[in-house]
Amino acid sequence: MSNKQHTYDAIVIGSGISGGWAAKEFTEKGLKTLVLERGRDVKHLIDYPTTNKYPYEFEHRGELTLAIRKENPVVSKCYAFREDAMHFFVKDKEHPYVQEKPFDWIRGYQVGGKSLLWARQTQRWSDLDFEGPLRDDFAVDWPIRYKDLAAWYTYVEQFAGISGNKDGLPQLPDGDFLPAFPLNAVEDYFKKTVSEKYEGRHVISARCAHLSQPRQVHFDQGRGKCQNRNLCQRGCPFGGYFSSNASTLPWAAKTGNLTLKPFSVVESIIYDEKLGKASGVRVVDANTKEVTEYFAKVIFVNAAAINTNLILLNSTSSRFPDGLGNDSGVLGKYVAFHNYSARISAEYEGLKEFTTDGRNPSDGGYIPRFRNLLKQETDFKRGYAAGFSAYRAPERDMSGIGTDLKEQLLHKNLGPWQVGSHMMGETIPKESNYVKLDKDKKDEWGIPLLRISIDYDENDAKMKKDYLEQLTGMFTEAGFKNIKANDAGQAPGLDIHEMGGARMGHDPKTSVLNKWNQLHDCKNVFVTDGACMTSTSTQNPSLTYMALTARAVDYAVRSMKKGEL
Amino acid sequence: MNRRLAIKQVLIFAGGLALLPSCLRNEGKVSIQLQHLDISAAQEKLLAEIAELIIPKTNTSGAKDLGLHLFVLKMLDDCYDKAEQEQFINGLKAFEGLEGAELKQLLTEANANKAGLAKEISQFFSIMKSRTIGGYLNSKYVMSNLVIWELVPGRYNGYFPVKTA
Ligand SMILES: Cc1cc2nc3c(=O)[nH]c(=O)nc-3n(C[C@H](O)[C@H](O)[C@H](O)COP(=O)(O)OP(=O)(O)OC[C@H]3O[C@@H](n4cnc5c(N)ncnc54)[C@H](O)[C@@H]3O)c2cc1C
Ligand code: SF4
């Protein structure tokens, strides 16, 4: 085939949350867009094999077999890797990597990426986050502020559909929300207790990407109201939650400008020395291993943070011997994540006149960051957000056997409320937390294996201690009993919020991307997934990737029109 | 991401009944296909009796009606390691030859974790009991008739009033 047939206006690498947005924005603006996805196609509704199964229709009732657990020590640790959604996760053996330090790398390689699997928690950043590195001197300054992103947050929220309340908090700006999922009796009670006893601490309804009350733009996507199934990781037959598969990709396809190629592993980005910019990408067919090149004026890298680093590091040329856009030498470094390694549970004997009925897909409550918010006040930097939820389960005495036991099993008497929280801590990006290419080992597609060297530090340990102390205190104030603080001790990675490696910054000497998510040194390549993050703050990151992506596409298309790219 | 408390799921996922009855029922062989376990037809029958003693038929279905012992075997075969499987079989042997009141007696003792009882017996019993219970609560029968599980609730009420007895 001639190059002409392989030439597009824009190429997007990866079809997950961020790539899906790039595809939607480019195609809507009339650009012929090629989306390259290394995994198989997953068509909304059609390719959700387990979506309507009852628990008893699973051979092991959801549980993993020993063989699967043994073969997959890493991905088995993810709470959502179970019999019903296993098929949307990368299995350990399929895509090995080198752990210089323990790192649980959880991946979804298919059309839609991890957007099928995510827990759909969505919060905006505020200037308390964007100004963090400068104020607390722990990373380079973000080249953007909230005002640069605010309108783009609104833009992506309106399309994706985000449920939440306008809580009026400076650390968690309000968005354009669909109605929130309500807190339940005990979540509300805890909210009240916390606001009465702690100045500046709040418990709010978790904000999430569910259509609690769809608008026309959601019906136009073919999506409907969330039906509270809480089986989202299987793919939703109602399109009730946001995934690329249900939302951005079909929307992009409708424009007629989208070419989506599954089974296309991007090996590298091709740099044209004469033009002084990237000309296209080199793709290995996942099945046949055949190599093909595709060309475009602009390239968006959206392979998910760590894989985006891999592609850039592997894109070498005489101009960029250490990876595309890596004049600074920081590419692959300053990787950070969220510290999810502690949780706490307890019981509450009150409010027994209530329970819950139906299911709440939002996960209950959310406690925005309250530590070091306006100024430094603890012996660690930054802070944590936390989840908070409460529920009741039947109280079943299982000590007997025979008819006694049987009666107990069907007993509908409820036990006390169970409450729980988990921490979501900010971590500090450091040069010593990095990913790099292995010099010898390659994968099946001829791409170097990635070596991952990421670890916690003292700041994380102090912050975790504080989380457990503070939440224990808050639980005690609320009269919760049987409080169990639990240091899960899990390796980084399981938070599935890896960020950085190609961070944004003002200065090409210390950062990889500029304020438009454009490589400082190769202007027609953009990175708008987690790799671009200068710092992590505490919010769940994906909403910010969506907003950054839409903004960067807008800028790229304007630049192209001016003949600048 | 945010994790719904896993505990909630435990009961939902523990067990049920969607096992295909094998058409190739050889004499002396167990009636479902097992990969690792070597179970005789007599042992299978004994397991069925034990399961029935744990969850008997009353005015609602019991373990035999729901084939819960087959679910236990399926789980034992696929989800436990060799050592646990061997312990299970060894423990089961202590029950072989027992019937009626005798069988019930030993089972009651195992359930009470009676002092002096062989370790294998309690190891066997703990898997047997928990998996029988899991299989029961997650059976189509229970989930459709007794403790209804809804695929599509379509609602959430955080202040659902509890009837006090
Ligand atoms: C269980 C779970 C719960 C989560 N909960 C939340 C949450 O509540 N809130 C939140 O904000 N985030 C959550 N996340 C994280 C969220 O899923 C990610 O932040 C988000 O999907 C990242 O989007 P992305 O586009 O960067 O990557 P992805 O969605 O992972 O998509 C990347 C795509 O690129 C493809 N790809 C990779 N390498 C190549 C290559 N070389 N060539 C071609 N294609 C390639 C992959 O196959 C994949 O399809 C969760 C994740 C998981 C797994
Ligand atoms: S909770 Fe809502 S989004 Fe999730 S599977 Fe259900 S209906 Fe779909």
Side-chain angles (χ1 to χ4, degrees):
Chain A
M1 255 192 273
S2 72
N3 282 357
K4 238 194 183 139
Q5 284 166 288
H6 282 191
T7 301
Y8 296 82
D9 296 324
I11 288 175
V12 177
I13 305 171
S15 64
I17 291 190
S18 63
W21 267 98
K24 169 185 173 294
E25 295 304 301
F26 273 127
T27 55
E28 267 189 313
K29 291 179 197 290
L31 277 76
K32 295 286 175 201
T33 305
L34 173 66
V35 175
L36 295 165
E37 167 54 53
R38 70 171 303 152
R40 69 178 195 281
D41 196 8
V42 174
K43 286 209 171 55
H44 181 50
L45 306 180
I46 296 164
D47 295 318
Y48 302 155
T50 57
T51 188
N52 284 323
K53 285 197 173 180
Y54 281 78
Y56 45 81
E57 292 178 278
F58 292 95
E59 220 183 343
H60 305 94
R61 309 302 176 269
E63 223 170 285
L64 298 175
T65 64
L66 183 68
I68 290 176
R69 277 184 282 135
K70 274 199 170 153
E71 271 200 16
N72 297 281
V74 170
V75 65
S76 291
K77 290 182 203 157
C78 176
Y79 72 101
F81 184 74
R82 295 183 57 88
E83 208 171 21
D84 67 335
M86 264 181 337
H87 49 287
F88 290 144
F89 285 88
V90 165
K91 315 296 177 297
D92 292 11
K93 277 197 182 148
E94 295 169 346
H95 298 286
Y97 59 101
V98 182
Q99 300 182 56
E100 291 187 2
K101 294 174 180 164
F103 185 87
D104 297 322
W105 190 14
I106 309 297
R107 294 158 287 173
Y109 289 174
Q110 61 248 326
V111 167
K114 299 194 291 286
S115 75
L116 286 162
L117 294 167
W118 70 317
R120 310 156 314 275
Q121 299 289 304
T122 39
Q123 312 92 21
R124 291 185 179 201
W125 280 41
S126 77
D127 272 336
L128 296 167
D129 308 301
F130 287 112
E131 286 169 1
L134 190 65
R135 188 194 82 180
D136 296 341
D137 191 25
F138 65 90
V140 296
D141 183 23
W142 274 90
I144 56 169
R145 289 295 182 263
Y146 181 63
K147 65 171 172 24
D148 297 305
L149 219 49
W152 292 106
Y153 273 130
T154 306
Y155 179 79
V156 297
E157 282 165 354
Q158 286 170 340
F159 189 82
I162 307 294
S163 301
N165 283 317
K166 289 196 185 287
D167 298 294
L169 302 175
Q171 67 271 49
L172 216 66
D174 292 330
D176 186 347
F177 294 138
L178 309 175
F181 290 91
L183 296 177
N184 66 36
V186 167
E187 291 160 357
D188 258 338
Y189 160 74
F190 187 60
K191 173 191 174 91
K192 206 162 138 267
T193 310
V194 169
S195 63
E196 277 168 16
K197 306 217 165 153
Y198 295 89
E199 213 193 306
R201 298 192 190 182
H202 307 275
V203 181
I204 64 169
S205 274
R207 299 172 181 178
C208 64
H210 281 259
L211 301 180
S212 55
Q213 203 183 94
R215 297 175 183 166
Q216 192 56 44
V217 63
H218 306 124
F219 292 126
D220 293 346
Q221 295 167 40
R223 300 170 58 199
K225 187 171 156 68
C226 169
Q227 299 294 321
N228 310 68
R229 298 174 2 127
N230 289 15
L231 301 172
C232 317
Q233 70 283 356
R234 302 178 182 180
C236 177
F238 306 99
Y241 75 101
F242 173 86
S243 66
S244 306
N245 313 65
S247 179
T248 44
L249 291 173
W251 192 266
K254 260 201 309 208
T255 64
N257 292 324
L258 175 74
T259 306
L260 171 64
K261 284 198 195 291
F263 296 123
S264 302
V265 184
V266 174
E267 184 246 17
S268 61
I269 297 165
I270 305 161
Y271 185 74
D272 186 320
E273 315 258 343
K274 274 198 224 105
L275 295 173
K277 57 184 183 182
S279 58
V281 297
R282 198 165 290 122
V283 170
V284 184
D285 185 292
N287 301 313
T288 66
K289 317 277 157 71
E290 194 189 336
V291 177
T292 316
E293 294 181 349
Y294 296 97
F295 306 95
K297 297 184 197 81
V298 59
I299 296 164
F300 266 55
V301 197
N302 296 97
I306 291 182
N307 274 317
T308 285
N309 276 281
L310 189 157
I311 293 170
L312 293 175
L313 287 165
N314 199 39
S315 303
T316 52
S317 53
S318 47
R319 166 69 185 83
F320 292 110
D322 301 320
L324 187 66
N326 192 18
D327 286 351
S328 63
V330 301
L331 181 63
K333 297 173 184 165
Y334 301 98
V335 178
F337 55 99
H338 280 155
N339 182 0
Y340 269 68
S341 68
R343 45 194 77 116
I344 176 163
S345 66
E347 286 178 0
Y348 183 54
E349 288 291 341
L351 290 165
K352 281 196 168 154
E353 62 277 29
F354 296 114
T355 185
T356 59
D357 178 50
R359 295 181 210 134
N360 180 0
S362 85
D363 249 339
Y366 178 86
I367 306 174
R369 176 162 75 96
F370 53 83
R371 280 307 203 197
N372 302 319
L373 200 59
L374 302 176
K375 60 176 192 317
Q376 184 63 37
E377 48 202 16
T378 66
D379 66 343
F380 57 87
K381 283 188 170 151
R382 310 309 291 163
Y384 45 82
F388 176 78
S389 60
Y391 70 96
R392 289 180 82 180
E395 195 157 51
R396 292 175 174 138
D397 174 359
M398 303 213 203
S399 62
I401 50 168
T403 44
D404 282 357
L405 173 67
K406 200 175 171 193
E407 251 169 53
Q408 279 293 332
L409 292 179
L410 302 178
H411 218 24
K412 299 212 172 74
N413 285 352
L414 293 165
W417 286 89
Q418 308 288 328
V419 298
S421 167
H422 64 277
M423 86 177 281
M424 299 176 267
E426 176 161 2
T427 70
I428 305 298
K430 291 180 294 281
E431 195 175 6
S432 55
N433 276 349
Y434 62 84
V435 299
K436 66 177 185 191
L437 304 182
D438 194 280
K439 289 208 174 66
D440 311 307
K441 295 195 198 98
K442 292 196 169 166
D443 69 12
E444 261 183 64
W445 299 270
I447 299 171
L449 292 195
L450 207 60
R451 303 181 70 87
I452 302 187
S453 185
I454 295 172
D455 209 347
Y456 297 109
D457 61 17
E458 275 233 11
N459 199 63
D460 299 323
K462 284 181 187 162
M463 190 190 292
K464 171 152 60 182
K465 186 165 165 276
D466 188 70
Y467 162 81
L468 289 173
E469 282 169 10
Q470 293 307 312
L471 267 288
T472 300
M474 288 152 76
F475 276 22
T476 308
E477 287 286 357
F480 298 160
K481 295 275 151 41
N482 201 9
I483 300 174
K484 291 191 181 124
N486 172 13
D487 180 345
Q490 67 197 34
L494 260 197
D495 45 291
I496 324 182
H497 291 173
E498 54 275 1
M499 287 174 250
R503 66 182 180 186
M504 294 168 77
H506 302 282
D507 185 353
K509 288 200 198 66
T510 55
S511 61
V512 177
L513 303 167
N514 69 11
K515 64 175 173 182
W516 299 109
N517 295 74
Q518 200 170 19
L519 288 181
H520 286 299
D521 307 322
C522 181
K523 292 276 195 276
N524 66 336
V525 176
F526 291 73
V527 174
T528 63
D529 61 18
C532 77
M533 301 295 277
T534 310
S535 63
T536 74
S537 200
T538 57
Q539 286 85 332
N540 292 75
S542 307
L543 185 71
T544 299
Y545 307 162
M546 297 187 211
L548 285 169
T549 304
R551 175 178 176 267
V553 172
D554 182 68
Y555 174 79
V557 173
R558 279 190 286 123
S559 303
M560 286 165 92
K561 286 199 178 131
K562 285 191 248 162
E564 285 171 7
L565 285 186
Chain B
M1 85 190 138
N2 211 331
R3 282 97 227 229
R4 182 155 291 279
L5 295 181
I7 314 160
K8 217 177 187 175
Q9 307 290 356
V10 172
L11 290 174
I12 296 177
F13 282 119
L17 184 79
L19 297 160
L20 303 170
S22 169
C23 9
L24 321 154
R25 177 142 197 177
N26 291 341
E27 215 37 62
K29 273 288 206 181
V30 72
S31 63
I32 55 165
Q33 283 194 4
L34 299 170
Q35 296 203 21
H36 309 284
L37 294 170
D38 189 13
I39 300 273
S40 69
Q43 284 173 319
E44 179 190 330
K45 201 161 158 276
L46 177 59
L47 286 169
E49 294 302 328
I50 295 173
E52 184 71 15
L53 284 168
I54 297 173
I55 298 185
K57 185 183 184 76
T58 52
N59 54 357
T60 61
S61 300
K64 274 191 191 168
D65 300 325
L66 304 175
L68 297 184
H69 64 294
L70 296 181
F71 173 69
V72 176
L73 282 175
K74 178 78 186 158
M75 295 304 280
L76 183 69
D77 196 40
D78 289 345
C79 301
Y80 290 82
D81 65 25
K82 207 160 179 265
E84 291 167 310
Q85 290 169 348
E86 277 166 8
Q87 284 162 1
F88 184 93
I89 306 290
N90 288 339
L92 176 62
K93 288 199 174 122
F95 292 84
E96 282 173 16
L98 301 184
E99 276 176 45
E102 277 180 346
L103 182 60
K104 194 166 180 182
Q105 172 72 21
L106 185 56
L107 214 58
T108 312
E109 287 175 11
N111 189 50
N113 212 357
K114 196 181 156 203
L117 223 54
K119 211 167 112 215
E120 297 90 59
I121 296 184
S122 51
Q123 281 162 338
F124 157 80
F125 186 74
S126 103
I127 293 179
M128 184 67 197
K129 183 175 176 183
S130 65
R131 291 304 182 175
T132 303
I133 291 175
Y136 178 65
L137 288 175
N138 288 280
S139 63
K140 182 172 183 182
Y141 174 75
V142 172
M143 287 194 147
S144 326
N145 301 298
L146 305 175
V147 185
I148 314 282
W149 188 86
E150 295 169 291
L151 184 64
V152 185
R155 64 182 187 285
Y156 179 64
N157 180 355
Y159 284 83
F160 190 77
V162 176
K163 281 181 226 111
T164 35

